[in-house]
Amino acid sequence: MENKKMLQVSCAICDVRHITEELLNTYAQVEINSTIIITNREVQTLLGQYGVKLNASTTLNLEEDVRFASFNGSTRIYPGQTMTDGRVFLLVNGTLDIESGSEEILKNYAGIMVNGSLTCPESMTGFLSAITVNGAIKTYPDGCIRLKKSAELDRFFHLRAKQDALYYADRRMIALAPDVDFEKLAEKNVRFSTPKLLVAEALAEAAVPLFDEETDIVVLPDGCAFVNDNAELDETLVKRYGGKLYIAGDLSIGSKAEDVLDQVSFLRLDGDLLVTRSLRDRVLSMDVEYGDVCIVGGTVLSNFGSHNISTYVLENAEGGLSAVNCAHISIDADVTPELLREKLVSIVGCASISCATKEQVDVVALLARDVASISLDGCDEEEDEKDKDDENVVKINSVTYTF
């Protein structure tokens, strides 16, 4: 009698609603590893009878006629949206925007799950009980005109603004241009709603009455510039924006910034301050506010998809070495723990780090911050080779799989 093999399915989404007894009889054991498993009551009974192993973060019980749809990124539900025949369960990995007037469209969905954030008008919050949101829920005033998440007002805004309009920005509004005319906006009975307002000191008195009482008002010195991203302090940044800066992200200050620090008189960060250790004391004595401070080396590997740290790179890193916001960092096998301790200052915001020796792992673990994974080279590969040699296992690896 022929020995039955084991079936092992690994995927992000697995639909088992059409699995059959005939298929289960084909294998000695069935194991399903999936982030989401779609099933129903009848199939659950069958799986239990055959001892199927299920490893899942989320289990969805959907009837056979319900179609499953997933979307990664940003999507929206809006009035008049074309819907396919039959009911749909929608999974959104990202952001979902439900627009005003979409009540009838929502009735076509058997369910909605959002792994991320959901935004909708305040009047539609009653529909949220049927929606699972693993993340933030944001509402905006009904009837408002929605601007960009971070909306910068300029000298032409009062010309475009509509009479009696309410303008909304999901994250913040910025009014730092000296010629934003709030007096004329007030004459048009324009109002604003936003969690946070950054306003120049000279404009504050005219601006504040046009914003609702829940808005966090941050008054900044006249001439302050808004930088809507992570930034590096250098001559180019100061020439473009000036010496009064509001950074909506992290700011890196390396050894090359020493010559421009005297040109910076005001500095505010929404994010963290990454400063080379040679300039730490000088920077922290300035008029600066930040989320957290991280000391970095004089040489910084920043925003690489993948980068290798070799003995040569470390030995030639003047002031030490740091890796910031890289997808993957690997360390050569001939890099000694002593050289790492001497030269590696920090690893910040990198997705993964692979080390060649256990001693390297120990050093890196002490210097890493906001790093998802630190691995020892060879472990995963050895396990993979062992699995490949197992002829009694049928493996299916896929993003999605339907029986």
Side-chain angles (χ1 to χ4, degrees), residues 112-318:
I112 297 175
M113 176 181 288
V114 180
N115 295 318
S117 63
L118 180 145
T119 303
C120 71
E122 292 173 351
S123 63
M124 296 186 68
T125 54
F127 286 84
L128 300 185
S129 59
I131 302 177
T132 301
V133 181
N134 300 312
I137 297 176
K138 301 179 181 180
T139 61
Y140 56 86
D142 288 82
C144 70
I145 298 174
R146 298 170 68 189
L147 303 175
K148 293 180 179 179
K149 290 183 177 181
S150 289
E152 294 193 58
L153 307 183
D154 57 29
R155 61 178 176 148
F156 300 110
F157 191 84
H158 73 276
L159 299 175
R160 304 191 304 270
K162 296 181 180 180
Q163 183 72 32
D164 302 322
L166 172 63
Y167 288 92
Y168 172 81
D170 178 67
R171 186 171 299 162
R172 63 170 76 85
M173 288 188 187
I174 304 101
L176 297 177
D179 41 12
V180 179
D181 200 330
F182 283 106
E183 287 82 1
K184 289 185 178 178
L185 289 168
E187 291 173 6
K188 284 188 171 183
N189 195 34
V190 170
R191 294 293 182 268
F192 298 95
S193 177
T194 188
K196 190 173 188 177
L197 168 66
L198 306 179
V199 61
E201 188 172 3
L203 302 175
E205 187 173 349
V208 170
L210 305 188
F211 287 78
D212 61 44
E213 61 276 7
E214 295 180 355
T215 300
D216 179 19
I217 307 293
V218 179
V219 179
L220 299 174
D222 296 334
C224 185
F226 176 77
V227 182
N228 193 23
D229 203 351
N230 296 332
E232 180 179 357
L233 184 62
D234 55 18
E235 190 70 36
T236 301
L237 185 75
V238 174
K239 282 184 177 180
R240 181 177 179 182
Y241 293 104
K244 300 176 183 178
L245 298 167
Y246 188 104
I247 310 292
D250 299 336
L251 179 66
S252 299
I253 302 180
S255 54
K256 294 180 181 179
E258 185 172 6
D259 295 336
V260 300
L261 278 176
D262 288 337
Q263 302 176 48
V264 178
S265 60
F266 180 86
L267 190 57
R268 295 292 181 270
L269 313 179
D270 278 348
D272 296 338
L273 178 64
L274 289 77
V275 57
T276 183
R277 52 188 170 188
S278 62
L279 295 176
R280 177 185 180 278
D281 293 340
R282 182 178 172 187
V283 170
L284 296 185
S285 67
M286 297 169 56
D287 183 9
V288 56
E289 292 181 5
Y290 49 87
D292 198 359
V293 63
C294 178
I295 306 304
V296 297
T299 300
V300 179
L301 307 175
S302 179
N303 297 307
F304 284 98
S306 180
H307 203 287
N308 185 62
I309 295 179
S310 64
T311 297
Y312 176 84
V313 168
L314 287 168
E315 288 178 342
N316 289 274
E318 185 178 350

